[in-house]
Structures are given as structure tokens and as C-alpha cells.
Amino acid sequence: MTVDAAYEAVKADLAFYGRRGGVTCSGGEPLLEAEFIYELFKKCHIDGIPTALETCLYASEDVLSMLLKLTDLWIVDLKCIDTEKHQKYTGHSNALISKNFRWLLEHAENIWVRMPIIPSVQNDADIEGLIKLLAGKSAVKNVELIPFHQLGREKYKKLNVSCPYPSEKEPSDQWMKHLENILRKAELPVNAENKRGIT
Amino acid sequence: MEPMNERINQLCSGFEKRLKLQGIYIPKQGILAGREKLENSLPYWDESVSAGWDNAHFPFPFALVLELGLKGIENRARLEKCGLSSEEDARREGIAKVYSLLIKHIILHAELAEQMALENPTDADRLNHIAKNLRIISENPPQTFEQGVQLVWFLWRTRQYNHTSCIGRMDVFLRPLYEKSVMDEVSRNAAFLVLRELWEKVNATGSGDTLMNVMLGGVDQDGIDISCDLSLLIMEVTMAVAKSEPHINVRLHKGTPDVFRHMAERLILMGQGQGVIYNDEYIIPSLVKHGVPIDLARCYANDGCTEITIEGKSGIQFWQFEMVKTLELFLFRGKENPSRPHKPVRKWNRNWNVDYFQSQLEFGYDSGNFIHAQSFEQVFDCFLRQLHHQIDHFLSRIDRKINEDKETDKTLTSLLVCGGIPNSLDEGKDLFRGGFSVNNYQLLSGSIPTAADSLAAIQEIVFIQKKCSMSELLEAISNDFENQEELRQILLKAPKFGNGDNRADDIAARIAEEFCNHVDEHIAPHNVRIWPGMYNIDFIMFASILGATPDGRHAGDAICEHYSPTPGRAKNGPTAVLRSAARADLARGCAASPVYIALPVGNAGKSSEVIGDLIDGIQSLKLPLVSIVLYDRNILEDAIIHPELHEDLVVRVWGYNARFIDLDEPLQHHIMNRIL
């Protein structure tokens, strides 16, 4: 698809963006198509359409610099704060991601942070790590903990592929509330009402 | 024909009989006197209980009656007036009699309440309170909100015999009494309770196609926003009661206060089809273009369905055109498709009798041979010839009715309604002959989007992809695609309205434009402007007489309602549906040109922000009239299997809400297939 074709699709629903909507690029990992996004976001900004990028930040700092001024909202997916855990569960170090995130905290104005919560992986210590990272950072407008779910189980069956986490449990509502409360006590904006920093 | 005096006396007798049969009723709880419903009684159309023509489809003119009171109307009707004809004198005398009868009816209620108070000392306070309200409204204009609601109930209930009717701009006609009575939280709560009692009473009278529409918000005759705390209270009561009646509609405009708008969003989020959106910015100018003075156009309300009326100034009469059947007659050169089904159908309620529906189109007109057409435009031209011919056929029927209404006294209109219309009350004019100051005769288009799907399929499959010839296509649809499933699947994949695909959407827009042009250019008798609308209330009935169509539709399968996609055809979500609809200038269809979108209940469906964003989009796309409903398909499916578990499940049908389990099964499936 060309940038022009993508932008035609964006423009088609312009009537519905109103004051709070806009374009979000996600993935996969959208920063792998940084130049495409750059051109698309340029067009969006010319027509006053707010832009958002949903990314895990696994890219070079140059890419982030290129997109910084054209991205109104960064939705950052932080899987694990602990380096060893990150390596174990994703197969990659989080050194680049952490470095990029600290850079983003310095330069961006609007950031949401999302962390998946998988009972056998994260625990209170991960939340403490998140607090250390985000505390006092005014650019962070919203923090969301995303509970793991098994809704994909049937799809694996239909595809005849073995489910990689067959016995992984979904976190209870109680535990999710407990983790969110830890974040709230640290004065982080959890599931913020007024999270839409874009004007 | 009998002399006019005798005819009018008969109407008075009809009204008197109506009141007698209704009887006197004081409730065991609450404060609103007056019976809700009679079981096993005369049908409402029985001549012996008629007080004059009133199709109940337009709002009753409550405002003047609330202002003057029943006695005030009676007295004013008896004021001597010179220069009137004998018919006009007789009518005014009839109005006075009818209002006098209603006063006596109310006094009988007061007497019964007083009697019951003596016999039940523990309940005496309540009963005496009822009696006091009744005594006041029998002699004077209502003084309090409670008395106003009581009077509204009596007028509404006696307007038709044991039948329901349109209500109108309740936050306008009850506002003066509301603002007089409601000063604080306590009095507001009292108003809430009396409205809730009224809502329970109206629900006890019936459910479904009851015509019980209430219109809230919008501007007044000077263009100033009229929404007020009563508007909000009415929406709150509706959400609290959460039943099918009455049907709430909201007028929005640039100056609509946020608080009203947000409440309307919450109402829509309730999911029962409450809160149909009417956009003043597009409806009012269109009414003005159709000859309605702007101060009157600003006072519009909807009728018992979705069509526009001018409250206190017009009635409504409408004719339903058959767009897809017109397409069929064009395809078969004046004849019906041989695959047309012959089965009876119910209009909506499963307790009704089935009946065979007859088309009102004129058969036999051959609009041309297109079999060897070299281009789609040649085919479309043939369709247009059939369309214009059939529209002319309907327009001449409307012309005849206009002449009959304006030139003859064949129909005498309701004396009760006449009492609320100044031209009738003061000048004795019949509603059709000078009473109503705005003429309201409408021609409604039928299912344009389904017709457009068929034409888009012809364009795409026959002329662009050349996958079949016109004669092969006709052969296939005349046999309901027997042994032609492969072709049918190809046709099903052709562009369909409602998907943001201009190939179908622009054809629909062209048909809409042609329809409106033809109606607008027609010069009707007596300088009447007939109002076009892109609307279809009879989609179930029409589908039952339609053979297979070039869009891949089987004989008898569903067609769309109004300007919405054929159920099941819109695959790209609600924004695509709205964008498709916006390709046409729907405001030209000033009678009513609604778009319905049915959303699945989900995470987005819990947020009124999403509804708000949709409404913003609707307004910027210049759509005049949109209904947003939210359904859980699982619940609807379960309600078909276990109706006893879903007795309070309410859905939007066409211009009304109804209990899902009351609907005939084809209509239930039609509604489920609307979900995007």
C-alpha cells in the first residue's frame, strides 16, 4: 500500500475524528516502517489530524528523533522492566528499549505506558520497577495494565498450531486491582479519565 | 349526505359514547386518574365512537388547551363570531360540546375519588388530592405540573378510542407549568414521580407501533434553544422506567447545551433505540425550501413514526412508494418477476393475522427494452422511466386526496383536535380546509439502497466484469437463482450500499436525487408542496412480494428500511454506513430520511464518548436523521428460543420501539441482521 492510498483511507473517516480522534499506527512493530509512517504523519499534520504511535520502542534513536515532532501521542508497550526477565520471555534484551524510553521521557510530551500482566511472569517487583521508571515524569499521561487472556486458544486449535501457553492463567480482577492500587499509591495516572493529552 | 349539523352532532355522540365506554377509573396507587386500556372492546376505528377524522399520527395540540384549560376552550368556542358559515358555526358548537363532555367526564372522576376517600379514610389524602386536581382542571387551566400532566393524560387517552397516539414536544407544552412548580430538589423529585407514573400508564396502554413519540430539545420559533430541565427529567424518567413507551426523539443543533447532549448520549447508550437524532441545521432549511415559513419550520416534531410534522400547525398524511418493486417492473417490462413469492405476511406483531400484501404500483408500463443495451447508462435510463411513471401514479393519487380534502366536506376532522387549533376554534375551520396552516402530504420512497445494490450489480457484473449478459441475469432471477448459485455468489460480491463504496453509494444518491426532483417539480392542487422522504415502513410487506433481484437476493428475502443498508450487507462498520448515506443529500427528503445503525454491544458500547463521537460525525456529514441502537446478538438469539426470559427486552423496529418477543420472527431476524 502506498502512503497516498493509506491517507485516502484516513481521510475517509475524517468526519468522525472530532476533537479526540486521529490516526494510530501500530503493529507488529510500526517503527520497522518508520519512513512510511513519517510520510503519513506529515500528511496528517498538514490536515490537522492528530497522530499516535503504538510501539515497543525497539528501534534506533534516529528513528525516534525523525518521528518525534510528527507524533502527538506515544503509546509505549513495556513488557518487562527487569532485564533478565525480558531476555527470558521475549528473547531479546531490553537495553535498547530502556534507553529509548528514557530518551522519550525527556523529549516527548504525551506518553501512555502499557504493561501486559501475565501471572507467571510479572509480580509486585515489576510494578515497583515501573514506578521507579515513571515516577515524577510529567510526560506520562496514562498507565494501563493489560491482563493476559486466553481468547486466542480456539484460534490456535483452528490453525492446528499448539498454543504456547496452554496452562497460563488469566489474572484475577482482584489481583489486577491490587497492582493498579500500588501504582495509584505512587501517584501514577492509572487508567486516567483525562488521559487524552492531544488537543 | 346528511346536513352538516347532524353530522357534527353524530361526532359529538361518538365522543360521548367513547367516554362512556372508557368509564371512570381511579387508580389504587398514584395520582393520575383515568383508565389505561379496555379489554375486548370495540375496535378503535368503529364509526360509533368516532369524533372525526384523526389518524393519531401527529402531535395533539396540547399547548393551547393547557394554556386556556378545558373550560377556556369551551367558552372560546361559544364566543359569538360573525361572518362564519353554518358549517363553521356548527363546528364551533361541536367543539364546545365535546370539551363540555370531557369536563363532565373529569368531574365524574373527581366525584368517584371523593366517594372513595370517604369509604377509605386511610387513603383519603391521596384520593382527595386526586379529586382536587380534577376539580381544578375541570374549571380552570391547570395550575401545577401535576395538574398539567393529568390533563395531558385525559386529552391523550380520549383522543382515540382505546388506542394510542402521538405526543409531541412535551418539554415545550409542559415547560411553563414545570417551571412554575419545580423550585428545588423535592419538587423536582415530585415531578419525576408523576412523570414516571405517566410512563407506566402509557406502557399499560400498549407496546410497539403505538405512535407514542415524544420530541425533546431543538429551537423555538425564534431560533432559540428550548431545552430545559424538563427535557433532562423526561430522559431520566425514560431511563429509569426502561420500557418501550414512549419513544423519545431528540433535536440537536449547534447551540444544544452540553448537558442535554450528554443526557441524550446516555439515553442512546441504553440500547433500546431511544434517542433518535434529528438535526435542526438540515431539517429546518429543507422545510423552508418546501414552503414552510421559518418560524413554523422551527417548531417541527416527529409524528407517530419518524416523519416530520409541524406541531400545532399540521397533521400528516403519507403514501409509501415501492422502490424495489419499481425496479422489478422495469426489469420485467411492466410485469412482475415470475419468482415473486405468494405468501401472506404479518406487518410486525406475531399476534396479528397474516395477510397477503398487494402492491400499489401500476402494472403494465413498459419502460423500454434494455436487453441489448451497450452501456449501464442506457439500462439506468430505462429504470428512471419506470421510476418517473410510478411516481406520477402515486402523485396523482395524492392530488386526488388533496382535492377531496380541500374542496369537499367528505371528511370531517376531529372536534377534539380542532379545539386546540386556533383557526378551527375561532373560525370553525375544518383541519383540512383552513384549520391546519401547514399542508403535510408526503411521498415516501421505499428501499432505495436495496434498489441501488441491484443496479450496482448490473453495472459491475454485466458491463464492467462482463461475467454475464442482461438476459442471463434476468433468466437467473426469474427462476430465483435455481441452478445458478455460482452467478448468485458473484452478484453478492458486487458493490453494496453501506460499505463506503461509491460504486453503489452514488447510484443510491442518484436515485434519491431523481426521486426528490420528481416530487419537488410536481405542481399539486391548491399550491400544496408534497414532501419527499427516503423512507420505508413496509419493508417486511414489500419484501414478501418481491422476486429475486440482481444483487443476489433470493425471492422474499429482506430489503432495507429507509436509507440504511440491506440487512447483512454492510461489512465495514458504522462509519462506512454513515459515509455511504452522506453521499446523498438526505435533507432534501424533508418528510423523513433516516439512517439506522445497529451496533454490537461491546466495550465501545459502554462508553457514551463513542456515541458522542458518532453524533459529531453524523452532524459533520450533514445527515438529518439518525437512529443509533445497540444490541447484544447473543441476547437476541436467546430471546427467540426463550422468550419467557426476555420479556423486557426492547428493540427499535422502524419509527417505534417494541418488545422483541412481540415481533413476528422474520422481523426479529431482520433486526438481528442489522447489527454491524
Side-chain angles (χ1 to χ4, degrees), chain A residues 11-21 193 196, chain B residues 575-576 578-579 609 612-614 616-618 620-621:
Chain A
K11 272 199 311 186
D13 274 337
L14 198 55
F16 299 96
Y17 296 158
R19 290 161 289 170
R20 297 176 298 206
E193 284 292 319
R196 295 179 191 274
Chain B
T575 59
L578 295 169
R579 283 191 281 118
E609 271 188 353
D613 291 338
L614 263 179
D616 284 342
I618 285 162
S620 53
L621 288 175

Side-chain angles (χ1 to χ4, degrees), chain B residues 591-606:
Chain B
S593 299
V595 181
Y596 278 14
I597 50 173
L599 305 178
V601 167
N603 286 339
K606 290 183 188 139

